[in-house]
Amino acid sequence: MALTTPKVFALKIEDIVKEKEISHMEAVLWYCTDQEIEPDSVKGMISKPLKEKIEANARELNFLPRQAQLPV
């Protein structure tokens, strides 16, 4: 399955997240495994919104330092 744009890739990752109930990073890795491609080969397909979601998942799991947030 050839994905042509970052938007199409992001939509596919969102579908995987909802279907499998996993994080966005796990969905990217699952996609790469399923398509038998290296994760490095999709780095150009990760859009800014998808990157932000992956980063938020990483912060929740304490993989990245937390950032100050305004109270909501």
Side-chain angles (χ1 to χ4, degrees), residues 3 18 48 52 60 66 68:
L3 298 175
K18 290 176 186 169
K48 185 174 180 177
E52 290 170 355
E60 289 172 12
R66 295 211 181 260

Side-chain angles (χ1 to χ4, degrees), residues 32-43:
C32 291
T33 302
D34 186 58
Q35 297 297 313
E36 298 180 354
I37 57 176
E38 291 294 321
D40 286 346
S41 64
V42 296
K43 67 182 174 184

Side-chain angles (χ1 to χ4, degrees), residues 4 21 28 34:
T4 55
E21 297 179 2
V28 170
D34 186 58

Side-chain angles (χ1 to χ4, degrees), residues 1-13 16 24-48 50-51 54:
M1 173 182 200
L3 298 175
T4 55
T5 66
K7 185 174 182 175
V8 173
F9 180 73
L11 291 173
K12 179 64 178 168
I13 296 301
I16 294 169
H24 290 82
M25 187 69 225
E26 290 171 318
V28 170
L29 294 174
W30 185 90
Y31 175 82
C32 291
T33 302
D34 186 58
Q35 297 297 313
E36 298 180 354
I37 57 176
E38 291 294 321
D40 286 346
S41 64
V42 296
K43 67 182 174 184
M45 298 297 287
I46 297 177
S47 63
K48 185 174 180 177
L50 180 57
K51 183 178 177 182
I54 292 171

